[in-house]
PDB file of all heavy atoms in Angstrom:
ATOM      1  N   LEU A   5     176.516 172.185  57.764  1.00  0.00           N
ATOM      2  CA  LEU A   5     176.083 173.580  57.717  1.00  0.00           C
ATOM      3  C   LEU A   5     174.761 173.718  56.968  1.00  0.00           C
ATOM      4  O   LEU A   5     173.897 174.501  57.357  1.00  0.00           O
ATOM      5  CB  LEU A   5     177.159 174.438  57.050  1.00  0.00           C
ATOM      6  CG  LEU A   5     178.442 174.672  57.853  1.00  0.00           C
ATOM      7  CD1 LEU A   5     179.440 175.488  57.042  1.00  0.00           C
ATOM      8  CD2 LEU A   5     178.131 175.390  59.168  1.00  0.00           C
ATOM      9  N   ARG A   6     174.596 172.948  55.900  1.00  0.00           N
ATOM     10  CA  ARG A   6     173.346 173.032  55.148  1.00  0.00           C
ATOM     11  C   ARG A   6     172.174 172.461  55.931  1.00  0.00           C
ATOM     12  O   ARG A   6     171.041 172.916  55.784  1.00  0.00           O
ATOM     13  CB  ARG A   6     173.495 172.302  53.819  1.00  0.00           C
ATOM     14  CG  ARG A   6     174.411 173.012  52.839  1.00  0.00           C
ATOM     15  CD  ARG A   6     174.469 172.270  51.517  1.00  0.00           C
ATOM     16  NE  ARG A   6     175.252 173.012  50.528  1.00  0.00           N
ATOM     17  CZ  ARG A   6     175.486 172.579  49.288  1.00  0.00           C
ATOM     18  NH1 ARG A   6     174.976 171.406  48.892  1.00  0.00           N
ATOM     19  NH2 ARG A   6     176.199 173.313  48.449  1.00  0.00           N
ATOM     20  N   ALA A   7     172.463 171.444  56.742  1.00  0.00           N
ATOM     21  CA  ALA A   7     171.396 170.830  57.528  1.00  0.00           C
ATOM     22  C   ALA A   7     171.117 171.564  58.829  1.00  0.00           C
ATOM     23  O   ALA A   7     170.112 171.280  59.485  1.00  0.00           O
ATOM     24  CB  ALA A   7     171.749 169.372  57.830  1.00  0.00           C
ATOM     25  N   LEU A   8     171.996 172.509  59.210  1.00  0.00           N
ATOM     26  CA  LEU A   8     171.845 173.176  60.502  1.00  0.00           C
ATOM     27  C   LEU A   8     170.536 173.948  60.629  1.00  0.00           C
ATOM     28  O   LEU A   8     169.862 173.834  61.666  1.00  0.00           O
ATOM     29  CB  LEU A   8     173.042 174.107  60.751  1.00  0.00           C
ATOM     30  CG  LEU A   8     173.114 174.760  62.129  1.00  0.00           C
ATOM     31  CD1 LEU A   8     173.180 173.695  63.218  1.00  0.00           C
ATOM     32  CD2 LEU A   8     174.324 175.684  62.218  1.00  0.00           C
ATOM     33  N   PRO A   9     170.115 174.752  59.639  1.00  0.00           N
ATOM     34  CA  PRO A   9     168.829 175.458  59.796  1.00  0.00           C
ATOM     35  C   PRO A   9     167.647 174.521  60.003  1.00  0.00           C
ATOM     36  O   PRO A   9     166.778 174.790  60.845  1.00  0.00           O
ATOM     37  CB  PRO A   9     168.705 176.241  58.480  1.00  0.00           C
ATOM     38  CG  PRO A   9     170.097 176.406  57.999  1.00  0.00           C
ATOM     39  CD  PRO A   9     170.805 175.149  58.399  1.00  0.00           C
ATOM     40  N   ALA A  10     167.615 173.408  59.257  1.00  0.00           N
ATOM     41  CA  ALA A  10     166.518 172.459  59.439  1.00  0.00           C
ATOM     42  C   ALA A  10     166.560 171.834  60.825  1.00  0.00           C
ATOM     43  O   ALA A  10     165.520 171.631  61.463  1.00  0.00           O
ATOM     44  CB  ALA A  10     166.574 171.373  58.368  1.00  0.00           C
ATOM     45  N   LEU A  11     167.777 171.544  61.324  1.00  0.00           N
ATOM     46  CA  LEU A  11     167.907 170.973  62.660  1.00  0.00           C
ATOM     47  C   LEU A  11     167.432 171.957  63.724  1.00  0.00           C
ATOM     48  O   LEU A  11     166.712 171.578  64.660  1.00  0.00           O
ATOM     49  CB  LEU A  11     169.365 170.576  62.905  1.00  0.00           C
ATOM     50  CG  LEU A  11     169.685 169.990  64.287  1.00  0.00           C
ATOM     51  CD1 LEU A  11     168.901 168.706  64.511  1.00  0.00           C
ATOM     52  CD2 LEU A  11     171.185 169.764  64.433  1.00  0.00           C
ATOM     53  N   ILE A  12     167.828 173.222  63.587  1.00  0.00           N
ATOM     54  CA  ILE A  12     167.390 174.244  64.548  1.00  0.00           C
ATOM     55  C   ILE A  12     165.881 174.388  64.510  1.00  0.00           C
ATOM     56  O   ILE A  12     165.223 174.526  65.551  1.00  0.00           O
ATOM     57  CB  ILE A  12     168.082 175.584  64.238  1.00  0.00           C
ATOM     58  CG1 ILE A  12     169.594 175.472  64.476  1.00  0.00           C
ATOM     59  CG2 ILE A  12     167.496 176.705  65.103  1.00  0.00           C
ATOM     60  CD1 ILE A  12     170.360 176.719  64.089  1.00  0.00           C
ATOM     61  N   LEU A  13     165.311 174.329  63.317  1.00  0.00           N
ATOM     62  CA  LEU A  13     163.861 174.458  63.181  1.00  0.00           C
ATOM     63  C   LEU A  13     163.139 173.307  63.880  1.00  0.00           C
ATOM     64  O   LEU A  13     162.150 173.513  64.578  1.00  0.00           O
ATOM     65  CB  LEU A  13     163.494 174.499  61.698  1.00  0.00           C
ATOM     66  CG  LEU A  13     162.015 174.698  61.364  1.00  0.00           C
ATOM     67  CD1 LEU A  13     161.540 176.047  61.867  1.00  0.00           C
ATOM     68  CD2 LEU A  13     161.799 174.579  59.866  1.00  0.00           C
ATOM     69  N   VAL A  14     163.649 172.092  63.703  1.00  0.00           N
ATOM     70  CA  VAL A  14     163.028 170.930  64.349  1.00  0.00           C
ATOM     71  C   VAL A  14     163.137 171.038  65.867  1.00  0.00           C
ATOM     72  O   VAL A  14     162.168 170.774  66.600  1.00  0.00           O
ATOM     73  CB  VAL A  14     163.677 169.634  63.843  1.00  0.00           C
ATOM     74  CG1 VAL A  14     163.209 168.441  64.667  1.00  0.00           C
ATOM     75  CG2 VAL A  14     163.353 169.415  62.370  1.00  0.00           C
ATOM     76  N   LEU A  15     164.306 171.429  66.360  1.00  0.00           N
ATOM     77  CA  LEU A  15     164.490 171.572  67.810  1.00  0.00           C
ATOM     78  C   LEU A  15     163.590 172.670  68.373  1.00  0.00           C
ATOM     79  O   LEU A  15     163.018 172.528  69.462  1.00  0.00           O
ATOM     80  CB  LEU A  15     165.959 171.873  68.122  1.00  0.00           C
ATOM     81  CG  LEU A  15     166.947 170.742  67.839  1.00  0.00           C
ATOM     82  CD1 LEU A  15     168.375 171.206  68.118  1.00  0.00           C
ATOM     83  CD2 LEU A  15     166.623 169.519  68.682  1.00  0.00           C
ATOM     84  N   LEU A  16     163.452 173.772  67.639  1.00  0.00           N
ATOM     85  CA  LEU A  16     162.590 174.863  68.086  1.00  0.00           C
ATOM     86  C   LEU A  16     161.135 174.405  68.146  1.00  0.00           C
ATOM     87  O   LEU A  16     160.428 174.656  69.140  1.00  0.00           O
ATOM     88  CB  LEU A  16     162.742 176.049  67.135  1.00  0.00           C
ATOM     89  CG  LEU A  16     161.903 177.297  67.432  1.00  0.00           C
ATOM     90  CD1 LEU A  16     162.298 177.892  68.770  1.00  0.00           C
ATOM     91  CD2 LEU A  16     162.063 178.330  66.316  1.00  0.00           C
ATOM     92  N   ALA A  17     160.679 173.736  67.100  1.00  0.00           N
ATOM     93  CA  ALA A  17     159.300 173.249  67.095  1.00  0.00           C
ATOM     94  C   ALA A  17     159.072 172.226  68.203  1.00  0.00           C
ATOM     95  O   ALA A  17     158.024 172.217  68.846  1.00  0.00           O
ATOM     96  CB  ALA A  17     158.966 172.641  65.730  1.00  0.00           C
ATOM     97  N   LEU A  18     160.072 171.378  68.456  1.00  0.00           N
ATOM     98  CA  LEU A  18     159.936 170.375  69.513  1.00  0.00           C
ATOM     99  C   LEU A  18     159.852 171.032  70.881  1.00  0.00           C
ATOM    100  O   LEU A  18     159.016 170.657  71.718  1.00  0.00           O
ATOM    101  CB  LEU A  18     161.115 169.406  69.458  1.00  0.00           C
ATOM    102  CG  LEU A  18     161.114 168.282  70.509  1.00  0.00           C
ATOM    103  CD1 LEU A  18     159.889 167.391  70.327  1.00  0.00           C
ATOM    104  CD2 LEU A  18     162.402 167.468  70.415  1.00  0.00           C
ATOM    105  N   ALA A  19     160.712 172.034  71.129  1.00  0.00           N
ATOM    106  CA  ALA A  19     160.715 172.707  72.428  1.00  0.00           C
ATOM    107  C   ALA A  19     159.405 173.441  72.686  1.00  0.00           C
ATOM    108  O   ALA A  19     158.904 173.453  73.813  1.00  0.00           O
ATOM    109  CB  ALA A  19     161.885 173.691  72.506  1.00  0.00           C
ATOM    110  N   LEU A  20     158.831 174.041  71.639  1.00  0.00           N
ATOM    111  CA  LEU A  20     157.616 174.827  71.817  1.00  0.00           C
ATOM    112  C   LEU A  20     156.346 173.978  71.777  1.00  0.00           C
ATOM    113  O   LEU A  20     155.284 174.454  72.191  1.00  0.00           O
ATOM    114  CB  LEU A  20     157.544 175.910  70.739  1.00  0.00           C
ATOM    115  CG  LEU A  20     158.654 176.969  70.803  1.00  0.00           C
ATOM    116  CD1 LEU A  20     158.491 177.984  69.688  1.00  0.00           C
ATOM    117  CD2 LEU A  20     158.669 177.679  72.152  1.00  0.00           C
ATOM    118  N   SER A  21     156.447 172.749  71.282  1.00  0.00           N
ATOM    119  CA  SER A  21     155.282 171.866  71.257  1.00  0.00           C
ATOM    120  C   SER A  21     155.357 170.768  72.308  1.00  0.00           C
ATOM    121  O   SER A  21     154.372 170.038  72.492  1.00  0.00           O
ATOM    122  CB  SER A  21     155.129 171.233  69.868  1.00  0.00           C
ATOM    123  OG  SER A  21     156.264 170.448  69.542  1.00  0.00           O
ATOM    124  N   LEU A  22     156.498 170.632  72.992  1.00  0.00           N
ATOM    125  CA  LEU A  22     156.665 169.555  73.966  1.00  0.00           C
ATOM    126  C   LEU A  22     155.625 169.582  75.082  1.00  0.00           C
ATOM    127  O   LEU A  22     155.106 168.514  75.460  1.00  0.00           O
ATOM    128  CB  LEU A  22     158.079 169.598  74.554  1.00  0.00           C
ATOM    129  CG  LEU A  22     158.434 168.483  75.535  1.00  0.00           C
ATOM    130  CD1 LEU A  22     158.295 167.119  74.879  1.00  0.00           C
ATOM    131  CD2 LEU A  22     159.841 168.672  76.094  1.00  0.00           C
ATOM    132  N   PRO A  23     155.268 170.739  75.659  1.00  0.00           N
ATOM    133  CA  PRO A  23     154.242 170.723  76.706  1.00  0.00           C
ATOM    134  C   PRO A  23     152.906 170.155  76.239  1.00  0.00           C
ATOM    135  O   PRO A  23     152.265 169.392  76.971  1.00  0.00           O
ATOM    136  CB  PRO A  23     154.119 172.211  77.092  1.00  0.00           C
ATOM    137  CG  PRO A  23     155.461 172.782  76.781  1.00  0.00           C
ATOM    138  CD  PRO A  23     155.900 172.071  75.542  1.00  0.00           C
ATOM    139  N   VAL A  24     152.481 170.498  75.021  1.00  0.00           N
ATOM    140  CA  VAL A  24     151.218 169.962  74.510  1.00  0.00           C
ATOM    141  C   VAL A  24     151.341 168.470  74.227  1.00  0.00           C
ATOM    142  O   VAL A  24     150.438 167.681  74.540  1.00  0.00           O
ATOM    143  CB  VAL A  24     150.785 170.728  73.248  1.00  0.00           C
ATOM    144  CG1 VAL A  24     149.502 170.147  72.681  1.00  0.00           C
ATOM    145  CG2 VAL A  24     150.601 172.205  73.562  1.00  0.00           C
ATOM    146  N   LEU A  25     152.470 168.052  73.661  1.00  0.00           N
ATOM    147  CA  LEU A  25     152.682 166.638  73.397  1.00  0.00           C
ATOM    148  C   LEU A  25     152.742 165.839  74.694  1.00  0.00           C
ATOM    149  O   LEU A  25     152.261 164.696  74.749  1.00  0.00           O
ATOM    150  CB  LEU A  25     153.974 166.444  72.602  1.00  0.00           C
ATOM    151  CG  LEU A  25     154.013 167.067  71.200  1.00  0.00           C
ATOM    152  CD1 LEU A  25     155.381 166.860  70.565  1.00  0.00           C
ATOM    153  CD2 LEU A  25     152.925 166.477  70.316  1.00  0.00           C
ATOM    154  N   ALA A  26     153.314 166.429  75.754  1.00  0.00           N
ATOM    155  CA  ALA A  26     153.394 165.735  77.041  1.00  0.00           C
ATOM    156  C   ALA A  26     152.002 165.506  77.626  1.00  0.00           C
ATOM    157  O   ALA A  26     151.742 164.476  78.252  1.00  0.00           O
ATOM    158  CB  ALA A  26     154.253 166.540  78.011  1.00  0.00           C
ATOM    159  N   LEU A  27     151.099 166.466  77.418  1.00  0.00           N
ATOM    160  CA  LEU A  27     149.733 166.281  77.911  1.00  0.00           C
ATOM    161  C   LEU A  27     149.049 165.120  77.202  1.00  0.00           C
ATOM    162  O   LEU A  27     148.394 164.284  77.824  1.00  0.00           O
ATOM    163  CB  LEU A  27     148.927 167.563  77.707  1.00  0.00           C
ATOM    164  CG  LEU A  27     149.307 168.757  78.571  1.00  0.00           C
ATOM    165  CD1 LEU A  27     148.503 169.969  78.150  1.00  0.00           C
ATOM    166  CD2 LEU A  27     149.071 168.449  80.027  1.00  0.00           C
ATOM    167  N   VAL A  28     149.196 165.081  75.891  1.00  0.00           N
ATOM    168  CA  VAL A  28     148.585 163.985  75.140  1.00  0.00           C
ATOM    169  C   VAL A  28     149.200 162.651  75.548  1.00  0.00           C
ATOM    170  O   VAL A  28     148.506 161.637  75.708  1.00  0.00           O
ATOM    171  CB  VAL A  28     148.738 164.226  73.628  1.00  0.00           C
ATOM    172  CG1 VAL A  28     148.157 163.070  72.834  1.00  0.00           C
ATOM    173  CG2 VAL A  28     148.061 165.537  73.234  1.00  0.00           C
ATOM    174  N   GLY A  29     150.521 162.651  75.765  1.00  0.00           N
ATOM    175  CA  GLY A  29     151.198 161.427  76.161  1.00  0.00           C
ATOM    176  C   GLY A  29     150.915 160.991  77.585  1.00  0.00           C
ATOM    177  O   GLY A  29     151.264 159.871  77.971  1.00  0.00           O
ATOM    178  N   SER A  30     150.290 161.857  78.398  1.00  0.00           N
ATOM    179  CA  SER A  30     150.004 161.484  79.785  1.00  0.00           C
ATOM    180  C   SER A  30     149.038 160.305  79.871  1.00  0.00           C
ATOM    181  O   SER A  30     149.041 159.566  80.853  1.00  0.00           O
ATOM    182  CB  SER A  30     149.432 162.689  80.542  1.00  0.00           C
ATOM    183  OG  SER A  30     148.166 163.057  80.020  1.00  0.00           O
ATOM    184  N   TRP A  31     148.208 160.114  78.832  1.00  0.00           N
ATOM    185  CA  TRP A  31     147.265 158.997  78.863  1.00  0.00           C
ATOM    186  C   TRP A  31     147.972 157.660  78.698  1.00  0.00           C
ATOM    187  O   TRP A  31     147.405 156.612  79.021  1.00  0.00           O
ATOM    188  CB  TRP A  31     146.212 159.177  77.774  1.00  0.00           C
ATOM    189  CG  TRP A  31     145.269 160.290  78.078  1.00  0.00           C
ATOM    190  CD1 TRP A  31     145.333 161.563  77.609  1.00  0.00           C
ATOM    191  CD2 TRP A  31     144.147 160.244  78.948  1.00  0.00           C
ATOM    192  NE1 TRP A  31     144.322 162.326  78.120  1.00  0.00           N
ATOM    193  CE2 TRP A  31     143.560 161.538  78.956  1.00  0.00           C
ATOM    194  CE3 TRP A  31     143.574 159.249  79.719  1.00  0.00           C
ATOM    195  CZ2 TRP A  31     142.441 161.845  79.703  1.00  0.00           C
ATOM    196  CZ3 TRP A  31     142.443 159.554  80.466  1.00  0.00           C
ATOM    197  CH2 TRP A  31     141.893 160.838  80.450  1.00  0.00           C
ATOM    198  N   ALA A  32     149.209 157.688  78.182  1.00  0.00           N
ATOM    199  CA  ALA A  32     149.976 156.443  78.069  1.00  0.00           C
ATOM    200  C   ALA A  32     150.589 156.035  79.410  1.00  0.00           C
ATOM    201  O   ALA A  32     151.107 154.924  79.525  1.00  0.00           O
ATOM    202  CB  ALA A  32     151.080 156.598  77.025  1.00  0.00           C
ATOM    203  N   GLN A  33     150.535 156.932  80.406  1.00  0.00           N
ATOM    204  CA  GLN A  33     151.108 156.641  81.720  1.00  0.00           C
ATOM    205  C   GLN A  33     150.005 156.375  82.745  1.00  0.00           C
ATOM    206  O   GLN A  33     150.135 156.704  83.920  1.00  0.00           O
ATOM    207  CB  GLN A  33     151.969 157.818  82.183  1.00  0.00           C
ATOM    208  CG  GLN A  33     153.073 158.177  81.212  1.00  0.00           C
ATOM    209  CD  GLN A  33     153.815 159.426  81.644  1.00  0.00           C
ATOM    210  OE1 GLN A  33     153.754 159.839  82.793  1.00  0.00           O
ATOM    211  NE2 GLN A  33     154.546 160.021  80.718  1.00  0.00           N
ATOM    212  N   TRP A  34     148.914 155.800  82.297  1.00  0.00           N
ATOM    213  CA  TRP A  34     147.776 155.532  83.174  1.00  0.00           C
ATOM    214  C   TRP A  34     148.208 154.630  84.331  1.00  0.00           C
ATOM    215  O   TRP A  34     148.851 153.608  84.146  1.00  0.00           O
ATOM    216  CB  TRP A  34     146.691 154.852  82.352  1.00  0.00           C
ATOM    217  CG  TRP A  34     145.428 154.588  83.114  1.00  0.00           C
ATOM    218  CD1 TRP A  34     145.129 153.476  83.836  1.00  0.00           C
ATOM    219  CD2 TRP A  34     144.291 155.443  83.210  1.00  0.00           C
ATOM    220  NE1 TRP A  34     143.886 153.582  84.383  1.00  0.00           N
ATOM    221  CE2 TRP A  34     143.336 154.788  84.008  1.00  0.00           C
ATOM    222  CE3 TRP A  34     143.991 156.700  82.705  1.00  0.00           C
ATOM    223  CZ2 TRP A  34     142.106 155.336  84.309  1.00  0.00           C
ATOM    224  CZ3 TRP A  34     142.758 157.247  82.987  1.00  0.00           C
ATOM    225  CH2 TRP A  34     141.838 156.579  83.789  1.00  0.00           C
ATOM    226  N   ASN A  35     147.845 155.045  85.560  1.00  0.00           N
ATOM    227  CA  ASN A  35     148.144 154.213  86.729  1.00  0.00           C
ATOM    228  C   ASN A  35     146.938 154.203  87.661  1.00  0.00           C
ATOM    229  O   ASN A  35     145.970 154.948  87.467  1.00  0.00           O
ATOM    230  CB  ASN A  35     149.403 154.689  87.458  1.00  0.00           C
ATOM    231  CG  ASN A  35     149.311 156.141  87.888  1.00  0.00           C
ATOM    232  OD1 ASN A  35     148.261 156.607  88.343  1.00  0.00           O
ATOM    233  ND2 ASN A  35     150.416 156.873  87.750  1.00  0.00           N
ATOM    234  N   ALA A  36     147.016 153.361  88.676  1.00  0.00           N
ATOM    235  CA  ALA A  36     145.874 153.172  89.567  1.00  0.00           C
ATOM    236  C   ALA A  36     145.547 154.438  90.345  1.00  0.00           C
ATOM    237  O   ALA A  36     144.369 154.760  90.568  1.00  0.00           O
ATOM    238  CB  ALA A  36     146.147 152.013  90.530  1.00  0.00           C
ATOM    239  N   GLU A  37     146.577 155.180  90.763  1.00  0.00           N
ATOM    240  CA  GLU A  37     146.331 156.378  91.581  1.00  0.00           C
ATOM    241  C   GLU A  37     145.595 157.447  90.784  1.00  0.00           C
ATOM    242  O   GLU A  37     144.599 158.011  91.246  1.00  0.00           O
ATOM    243  CB  GLU A  37     147.653 156.926  92.105  1.00  0.00           C
ATOM    244  CG  GLU A  37     147.476 158.121  93.023  1.00  0.00           C
ATOM    245  CD  GLU A  37     148.803 158.680  93.498  1.00  0.00           C
ATOM    246  OE1 GLU A  37     149.849 158.108  93.147  1.00  0.00           O
ATOM    247  OE2 GLU A  37     148.796 159.696  94.219  1.00  0.00           O
ATOM    248  N   SER A  38     146.094 157.736  89.580  1.00  0.00           N
ATOM    249  CA  SER A  38     145.426 158.758  88.765  1.00  0.00           C
ATOM    250  C   SER A  38     144.027 158.295  88.355  1.00  0.00           C
ATOM    251  O   SER A  38     143.092 159.099  88.292  1.00  0.00           O
ATOM    252  CB  SER A  38     146.261 159.079  87.527  1.00  0.00           C
ATOM    253  OG  SER A  38     146.379 157.943  86.684  1.00  0.00           O
ATOM    254  N   ALA A  39     143.877 156.992  88.081  1.00  0.00           N
ATOM    255  CA  ALA A  39     142.549 156.479  87.725  1.00  0.00           C
ATOM    256  C   ALA A  39     141.579 156.646  88.879  1.00  0.00           C
ATOM    257  O   ALA A  39     140.412 157.024  88.679  1.00  0.00           O
ATOM    258  CB  ALA A  39     142.655 155.005  87.330  1.00  0.00           C
TER     259      ALA A  39
END
């Protein structure tokens, strides 16, 4: 119960930042077609 607010906060931040993080991570998926 004490850790629940921190867990919710981390999940919320992850959900709202995931699209931006996915864009940055797209460079790790470099392939011949996109190149």
Side-chain angles (χ1 to χ4, degrees):
L5 289 177
R6 290 183 175 179
L8 187 59
L11 178 61
I12 294 176
L13 183 63
V14 171
L15 292 177
L16 180 63
L18 180 62
L20 296 180
S21 61
L22 183 59
V24 178
L25 297 177
L27 291 175
V28 178
S30 66
W31 289 98
Q33 303 175 18
W34 183 271
N35 57 40
E37 183 182 358
S38 64

